[in-house]
Amino acid sequence: MDQEHIIAELLAFIEADPPSDPAAADAAFEALALKVFAYQFQHNAPFAKFARARGKTPRTVKRWADIPAVPINAFKSLDLTCRPPEDCVATFMTSGTTLGGVRGKSYHATLSVYDASMRRNFAQRFMGGQERMPLGVLFPTPALLPNSSLAHYLDLARQHFGSPGSRHLIGPDGIDIDGLCQDLERAEASSAPYGLIGASFSLVHALDALATRGRRFRLPEGSRILDTGGFKGQSRELEPDAFYDALAMTFGVPRRRCINMYGMTELSTQFYDDGNAACPSVKSGPHWIRARVVDPLTGQSVPDGATGVLAHTDLAHFNIVATILTEDAGIAVDGGFLLLGRAAGAAAAGCSMAVDAFLKAASAA
Amino acid sequence: MTEHPILAARLPGMNADALGHVTQTYGPADAPVSIALPKLDAAAIAAVAASVKTATRRTLKTYPVARIVDTLDAAIARLLDRAHPIRRQMDRLLPRLTGYDADMVGLGLTRYLMTFRKPELLRFLAEDFPNPAILDGFQPLPKGGYGRAYGADLTAHIWAGNVPGLPLWSLAAGLLAKSGAVGKVPTAEPLFAGLFVDALAEVDPALAECIAVVWWQGGEEAPERALLEAAELALAYGGNAALAAIRARTPITTRFLAYGHKVSFAMIGREALDAAKTAETARAAAYDVMRYDQQGCFAPHVIFVEAGGRSSPERFAGHLAQELQAFERTYPRRALSLGEAADVAAWRAAAETSPGGAVIGDPAGLWTVAFDDGTDGQFSPSSLNRAIRVVAVQRLEDVAARVAPYRRLLQTAGLACAPDRLFALSAELGLAGVRRVAALGDMTAPEAGWHHDGRFNILDLVEITEIDGRALPTADRLAAYVD
Amino acid sequence: MDFAGKTVLVTGASRGIGRAIATAFAGEGAGVVVNYLANTEAAAETVAACEAAGGDAFPVQADVTDLAAAARLVKEALDQFGRIDVLVNNAFGPYRFDPETRKRHWELDWNDYQRQIDGSVKAAHGLIQAVLPGMLARADGAIVMLATDLVARPSVPYHDYTTAKAALIGYARNLAAETGPLGVRVNTVAPGLVYPTDASRGTKQAMRDAIASQTPLRRVATPADIAGPVLFLASPWARFMTGQTLYVDGGLVMA
């Protein structure tokens, strides 16, 4: 299959409502997943080598769950792309804040599928039935961070779902607290719902800055907040309950309308919860992505209710690889999964040093 | 099958029953072990420390060092006897506590305990003191005058990790220095230290009163401060962050010795890779990888293999794989936590996808061999748990420069090469920070009296009281018999 | 014996013992590469039998005595399945087992021997050279050779054929010693008279009866009888066996 056809099929699949019969929905997902796998196997040479080494070929992969999961570490060293990198319109990279400093890369031959995936999902999971609302973006623009998938995502949200006046509130010099206060005041006065979206750590910075000024807001009914990405050592670390309490208190947005998005540079589709009235919240994705909880070594699903690491099969990530193995611990629950933080990074049980400890010590020495 | 919780602490002069306990459960679901860990607050720690100090002055300080050696030897003899009840307890419980294979623990323990018998203890002493009598009385010093070595009244031992037996190093050294000990056991393996004290108590109950074994929840500061204040000397084991925190809580008047976590590696010369020797070389290397699942600081992270032998580095990697496969049956790896498994998976992925890299071994299996054809060629840490990287190098002489950036973290280099290269390579490695060069296969079993992390085991624990060289002539003038 | 997710390459699999082996592996979930020399139709039947047994199969024509063809066979197999976990060396040079018309020793010339040695040992060698690197890269693999019980008990002295198979057993044992430390096991199955196969059709009823009457299990082998021990030797059940020869002849030879 060529790129044009796989894109057309994916766009149609994303736009169409999935069959209401679960078995039919499974079959539809499986059929397209196998096509995406075959496409990637044919065009993405490093991935084909990876798959072949596991005895996984279009001939032997018969179920979507058989598609080999590529560990996110592999995105650092391999150019996993069906089109040559130079032909790609965007290269999203991980932040490189992980130890070692090497950044994982996802090459996008087109952003049409990524954008379609983001738009339909965001409309369903964040917008609460509204077409547009004023959005304040607590993250730099794509112009400032051209390799950030999150910058692209948030800017896409602003363009497609933001009413006039929506804008970025972080510039080259950091958060524009005055601008944020103005926008929040205006929203308070307008009685129309307002959306504040951005990185979790940027929201912490905003919380701290507003606390310093002694400012609190009471955003209109229907307002909502989206945070994503965790704190990554860029802000102080808060327990989820403390974080969402602080958001609710400072912005007057109830925790059930504080939505956490779970996304990755190594995906083209995001997961959301339905608010954080209680933590940890259940995350779920749309019909073109599926999450499994697996044993990180065998790749086999763990028994129901057991903790494992998350593996995601995202059909929208068609130019790269469909299935990735994350380093995030999770547990499957009704309607989705709970995200339990990073699984990797265990300390040595004895007096040796495992990878994380070594890199930390080596960079300190 | 539930058993009564086993008490981890040894608290001379204190009624342990009066203390609250935390009961910690270890081991597989079908054979759990409950260990009772007494909760000691700062006041209790201070009381235990005082009791140990009193006992130490009463007994240990009065013993000639030869008697301490004999007592230790007799205690070790009990522990070497597989039929002795205390040794049986170790053999039965330590594998379940730590998850390590029972045969591996049993054999490892014996090999380890053998390095603490009388002949080995004498070697310990001889390593550090040209004349060990300096521990018993004033001896002439080369510069003139007389000196006598005194251990601290009380040494604090803060142990870490789950490799069974670790506390014995510092406990034995402390006793030889005639220092009382309060040792804090880690939650990961709280049992060995107490059982050793029990063996000692069978031989000399009074001496055993000079050692207390305590525990507190990691991160609890008050009991730790109390111990560090009571002790004159603190020996701490652990990761850098933990050590920094302990050091920050140590009073300036308490001497602090840190034993940080370390990494090791191996080197194999082409002379060890002919058609007859390759498999044996691989077996020795695999043994070092298998022992305690690489959790010990002596365990190799990387094996540098020289090209140009009859077996290529890649072929050697294949041999190593099969040797690890064989050990998988005889000494299985312990069960991994999710985090450890995720680390192995991430390490595998990095190794497999790096330029010139490949991995051998079923991901569902219990070992992984990664091969680097030299494209990267650098030292890099292992995820541990039987994950080993074979790096092809043109010349072993090139290796020292590659590990030198990590000089503060290096410990042992396992070496398979001809004698003429042994010293030349060791000289380069020593310059790069390596503090022990061992034969392949011996990496994880240091010999008696080795210089732990390059330091002196007993000498570091004592202070010398010296009689100034001019004191005796001056005193002579005051002698009654002087004319 | 679960071979799900495993790939098995069987040479000479279009007919007879090869087909029985291929079908049996497929029945345990393996993906089977069905090698054949000339009979495309028969190979297609084997493939159909494998699929009917619940496995996957893929036919590849190749004369395995031709080193280049053997390499191409392995490449095509890898393209389809990604890797080869088990190699079954079943093919051998054309031979007619007919006790009445067989060549006696003084009627043979060296070329007769050479043909059989090429058909057995050279074919195995070429294929192993092509398959082994992949197995060594994983430190895992199983190779099974097909020989004959005639090496131990030449009921009928088929000199050239049996000598070649005896050489194959020696080859397998040496290979087993070499690759055992590298994770690859090599074993041999030595069947007795297997009937019916194309090669044994010339063996008359009287001869078959004579063999059966001396066989503790009281009959001659069928192709399906051979498959079981082959699967066993290829499976983890035989993980601690290498360099062995299993006689599968109803007890005629006991060794």
Side-chain angles (χ1 to χ4, degrees):
Chain A
M1 188 178 294
D2 61 21
Q3 179 176 297
E4 190 186 336
H5 286 96
I6 197 90
I7 290 174
E9 279 211 40
L10 282 164
L11 290 175
F13 190 84
I14 289 169
E15 288 314 318
D17 288 329
S20 53
D21 169 30
D26 285 353
F29 180 84
E30 183 139 281
L32 188 52
L34 295 181
K35 279 186 197 172
V36 169
F37 171 68
Y39 173 79
Q40 292 170 347
F41 190 88
Q42 187 185 346
H43 297 288
N44 183 342
F47 173 63
K49 182 177 174 229
F50 176 89
R52 229 186 232 116
R54 285 154 180 73
K56 304 288 190 187
T57 67
R59 182 170 201 104
T60 63
V61 169
K62 299 191 162 56
R63 311 298 306 264
W64 70 266
D66 295 340
I67 297 171
V70 178
I72 55 170
N73 234 353
F75 284 72
K76 293 176 182 170
S77 41
L78 296 183
D79 281 341
L80 292 165
T81 176
C82 292
R83 295 296 296 268
E86 58 273 20
D87 291 354
C88 289
V89 299
T91 304
F92 293 147
M93 297 193 192
T94 53
S95 56
T97 51
T98 50
L99 292 159
V102 187
R103 304 173 72 180
K105 307 167 291 289
S106 279
Y107 297 100
H108 291 268
T110 166
L111 286 170
S112 61
V113 179
Y114 183 104
D115 292 357
S117 164
M118 183 277 171
R119 286 197 306 266
R120 173 151 195 198
N121 203 10
F122 191 84
Q124 283 177 343
R125 303 302 295 271
F126 184 75
M127 292 304 289
Q130 306 187 64
E131 283 208 356
R132 286 179 180 270
M133 68 171 89
L135 292 175
V137 181
L138 284 174
F139 203 72
T141 62
L144 279 172
L145 294 178
N147 297 119
S148 163
S149 60
L150 183 56
H152 174 76
Y153 163 94
L154 291 167
D155 194 49
L156 200 59
R158 182 191 60 78
Q159 289 176 37
H160 275 271
F161 299 97
S163 48
S166 297
R167 60 174 175 151
H168 284 78
L169 295 162
I170 288 187
D173 306 321
I175 299 190
D176 174 7
I177 290 293
D178 292 332
L180 173 63
C181 288
Q182 282 166 19
D183 284 9
L184 294 172
E185 285 161 9
R186 195 176 306 132
E188 267 184 328
S190 77
S191 83
Y194 178 84
L196 188 59
I197 62 179
S200 310
F201 55 78
S202 301
L203 281 158
V204 174
H205 292 152
L207 287 171
D208 291 349
L210 293 175
T212 309
R213 295 188 181 193
R215 293 296 308 264
R216 280 192 189 178
F217 299 88
R218 187 133 298 277
L219 288 170
E221 175 63 27
S223 295
R224 47 198 68 224
I225 296 174
L226 179 138
D227 80 286
T228 185
F231 308 116
K232 290 188 173 156
Q234 304 232 18
S235 71
R236 62 201 172 87
E237 301 272 329
L238 275 77
E239 290 302 314
D241 276 320
F243 176 63
Y244 291 110
D245 280 344
L247 289 180
M249 190 104 75
T250 305
F251 299 106
V253 174
R255 282 178 55 165
R256 69 191 149 82
R257 294 221 177 83
C258 293
I259 315 280
N260 176 262
M261 183 274 273
Y262 165 52
M264 303 175 73
T265 304
E266 297 89 349
L267 292 175
S268 291
T269 301
Q270 299 78 34
F271 296 94
Y272 297 90
D273 54 39
D274 293 322
N276 281 277
C279 293
S281 57
V282 177
K283 299 279 192 291
S284 59
H287 64 267
W288 58 92
I289 190 169
R290 296 213 168 176
R292 287 189 304 141
V293 180
V294 302
D295 177 308
L297 286 169
T298 65
Q300 300 294 312
S301 294
V302 299
D304 278 346
T307 304
V309 299
L310 294 166
H312 303 306
T313 301
D314 178 12
L315 305 187
H317 213 48
F318 77 96
N319 187 59
I320 301 114
V321 296
T323 302
I324 63 163
L325 181 71
T326 72
E327 295 175 357
D328 298 324
I331 187 165
V333 294
D334 278 349
F337 58 87
L338 303 179
L339 186 61
L340 304 175
R342 185 161 182 252
C351 49
S352 188
M353 308 172 106
V355 179
D356 274 21
F358 177 86
L359 294 175
K360 248 180 232 159
S363 61
Chain B
M1 176 182 68
T2 48
E3 299 176 44
H4 290 296
I6 298 145
L7 192 64
R10 298 297 180 275
L11 305 168
M14 183 172 279
N15 178 10
D17 295 338
L19 298 165
H21 291 89
V22 175
T23 302
Q24 188 93 14
T25 303
Y26 298 80
D30 55 344
V33 187
S34 293
I35 307 289
L37 300 156
K39 288 202 279 192
L40 290 138
D41 59 13
I45 291 286
V48 169
S51 162
V52 166
K53 276 188 198 175
T54 307
T56 300
R57 284 185 178 260
R58 195 171 54 226
T59 56
L60 187 53
K61 294 286 184 196
T62 69
Y63 283 16
V65 74
R67 178 168 176 186
I68 303 172
V69 168
D70 286 337
T71 307
L72 275 170
D73 184 56
I76 293 295
R78 281 165 167 72
L79 296 181
L80 279 168
D81 174 6
R82 290 263 195 164
H84 192 280
I86 298 177
R87 174 60 192 263
R88 286 171 58 164
Q89 241 185 324
M90 287 183 174
D91 284 343
R92 193 169 60 86
L93 295 173
L94 291 177
R96 282 155 72 191
L97 238 65
T98 59
Y100 296 120
D101 178 68
D103 284 344
M104 179 167 82
V105 170
L107 294 175
L109 217 46
T110 293
R111 193 169 167 187
Y112 177 68
L113 289 166
M114 283 168 68
T115 63
F116 292 92
R117 297 171 301 180
K118 181 170 181 174
E120 287 78 20
L121 292 170
L122 293 176
R123 186 167 295 284
F124 256 92
L125 288 165
E127 271 308 314
D128 285 11
F129 301 102
N131 176 7
I134 197 170
L135 288 158
D136 293 334
F138 284 97
Q139 302 295 327
L141 296 176
K143 70 166 178 62
Y146 296 81
R148 179 169 175 181
Y150 290 96
D153 273 1
L154 181 68
T155 300
H157 304 247
I158 300 178
W159 297 302
N162 75 349
V163 175
L166 174 99
L168 186 51
W169 276 115
S170 65
L171 280 177
L175 286 175
L176 293 173
K178 304 188 191 183
S179 174
V182 176
K184 188 263 177 185
V185 290
T187 310
E189 196 287 272
L191 216 57
F192 179 89
L195 292 174
F196 168 70
V197 174
D198 290 348
L200 208 55
E202 286 194 0
V203 184
D204 185 342
L207 187 66
E209 304 240 311
C210 303
I211 304 175
V213 176
V214 301
W215 174 87
W216 55 77
Q217 192 81 55
E220 256 193 275
E221 292 186 17
E224 185 176 283
R225 275 187 204 282
L227 176 57
L228 292 168
E229 273 175 31
E232 287 166 50
L233 172 66
L235 310 179
Y237 298 77
N240 285 347
L243 291 175
I246 298 169
R247 185 169 65 181
R249 289 193 275 274
T250 306
I252 194 70
T253 47
T254 300
R255 204 149 57 87
F256 180 80
L257 297 179
Y259 295 91
H261 292 173
K262 300 277 172 172
V263 297
S264 298
F265 61 94
M267 298 162 63
I268 295 172
R270 58 175 71 95
E271 57 270 36
L273 296 172
D274 66 23
K277 297 195 195 81
T278 303
E280 280 318 300
T281 304
R283 188 175 194 73
Y287 182 81
D288 286 335
V289 173
M290 171 276 290
R291 282 262 292 178
Y292 295 120
D293 302 338
Q294 284 170 300
Q295 297 295 328
C297 43
F298 329 108
H301 287 242
V302 171
I303 302 177
F304 294 98
V305 179
E306 194 172 46
R310 284 291 315 246
S311 296
S312 66
E314 187 172 18
R315 187 63 70 228
F316 172 80
H319 277 278
L320 183 63
Q322 179 59 21
E323 297 297 341
L324 287 168
Q325 174 69 31
F327 282 133
E328 170 175 319
R329 295 277 166 198
T330 43
Y331 303 105
R333 185 180 70 189
R334 74 199 219 293
L336 300 190
S337 70
L338 178 67
E340 288 172 321
D343 283 341
V344 174
W347 183 87
R348 283 181 70 104
E352 180 180 359
T353 59
S354 67
V359 298
I360 311 174
D362 184 341
L366 304 186
W367 52 270
T368 308
V369 174
F371 175 69
D372 167 18
D373 67 5
T375 306
D376 174 70
Q378 299 304 311
F379 179 88
S380 70
S382 163
S383 62
L384 309 183
N385 297 310
R386 306 195 191 182
I388 184 73
R389 185 160 153 261
V390 170
V391 174
V393 292
Q394 285 311 306
R395 302 163 60 245
L396 282 191
E397 286 72 15
D398 299 340
V399 172
R402 302 188 192 184
V403 298
Y406 312 110
R407 54 174 298 117
R408 295 188 202 188
L409 308 178
L410 299 178
Q411 196 208 58
T412 296
L415 209 45
C417 67
D420 52 338
R421 302 176 80 184
L422 177 62
F423 284 93
L425 287 168
S426 296
E428 294 300 317
L429 291 171
L431 205 57
V434 171
R435 288 298 169 254
R436 177 171 164 257
V437 175
L440 214 56
D442 284 337
M443 289 182 71
T444 60
E447 64 190 339
W450 78 294
H451 295 93
H452 186 178
D453 293 347
R455 295 296 317 169
F456 293 89
N457 291 298
I458 309 170
L459 198 55
D460 272 357
L461 307 189
V462 300
E463 292 177 3
I464 305 288
T465 294
E466 62 176 45
I467 298 172
D468 188 293
R470 290 156 298 188
L472 183 56
T474 308
D476 280 345
R477 297 208 297 270
L478 306 176
Y481 47 77
V482 166
D483 293 332
Chain C
M1 243 181 283
D2 184 8
F3 281 93
K6 302 282 183 195
T7 304
V8 181
L9 168 54
V10 184
T11 65
S14 61
R15 296 173 294 171
I17 298 173
R19 176 185 288 180
I21 292 169
T23 311
F25 273 114
E28 300 297 331
V32 182
V33 180
V34 174
N35 160 251
Y36 66 101
L37 177 61
N39 194 335
T40 308
E41 230 165 78
E45 281 172 31
T46 302
V47 168
C50 287
E51 286 166 354
D56 186 15
F58 180 71
V60 183
Q61 187 284 328
D63 175 357
V64 292
T65 58
D66 170 358
L67 291 184
R72 174 179 56 79
L73 162 60
V74 170
K75 185 185 176 305
E76 285 186 36
L78 292 176
D79 282 346
Q80 290 298 317
F81 292 97
R83 67 192 215 191
I84 297 168
D85 299 284
V86 177
L87 168 65
V88 181
N89 275 307
N90 169 68
F92 62 99
Y95 202 78
R96 289 222 15 112
F97 298 94
D98 184 340
E100 292 167 5
T101 62
R102 71 174 178 89
K103 284 188 183 174
R104 284 168 293 174
H105 187 264
W106 45 89
E107 294 164 333
L108 288 157
D109 69 22
W110 176 249
N111 282 335
D112 294 307
Y113 284 95
Q114 190 66 57
R115 255 194 305 281
Q116 282 305 308
I117 289 172
D118 286 353
S120 278
V121 186
K122 186 180 170 195
H125 181 66
L127 211 50
I128 286 164
Q129 277 195 319
V131 169
L132 201 55
M135 290 182 170
L136 293 181
R138 293 194 309 280
D140 189 28
I143 297 173
V144 182
M145 311 287 207
L146 268 291
T148 170
D149 76 341
L150 294 171
V151 299
R153 189 184 198 278
S155 311
V156 182
Y158 297 116
H159 300 275
D160 40 0
Y161 170 79
T162 304
T163 300
K165 288 297 192 186
L168 190 65
I169 291 174
Y171 180 100
R173 287 177 176 158
N174 281 280
L175 184 62
E178 188 85 285
T179 61
L182 293 161
V184 178
R185 297 183 298 107
V186 187
N187 290 288
T188 304
V189 168
L193 174 64
V194 179
Y195 189 88
T197 68
D198 285 358
S200 64
R201 250 179 253 290
T203 307
K204 292 189 173 158
Q205 180 77 33
M207 180 68 194
R208 303 199 310 266
D209 286 348
I211 291 176
S213 72
Q214 293 174 50
T215 298
L217 293 178
R218 311 304 294 160
R219 61 176 175 83
V220 300
T222 65
D225 292 330
I226 310 308
V230 172
L231 263 65
F232 164 71
L233 287 172
S235 77
W237 286 2
R239 65 181 178 230
F240 203 52
M241 290 179 71
T242 196
Q244 302 304 308
T245 302
L246 293 187
Y247 290 92
V248 185
D249 60 2
L252 190 63
V253 169
M254 295 190 184

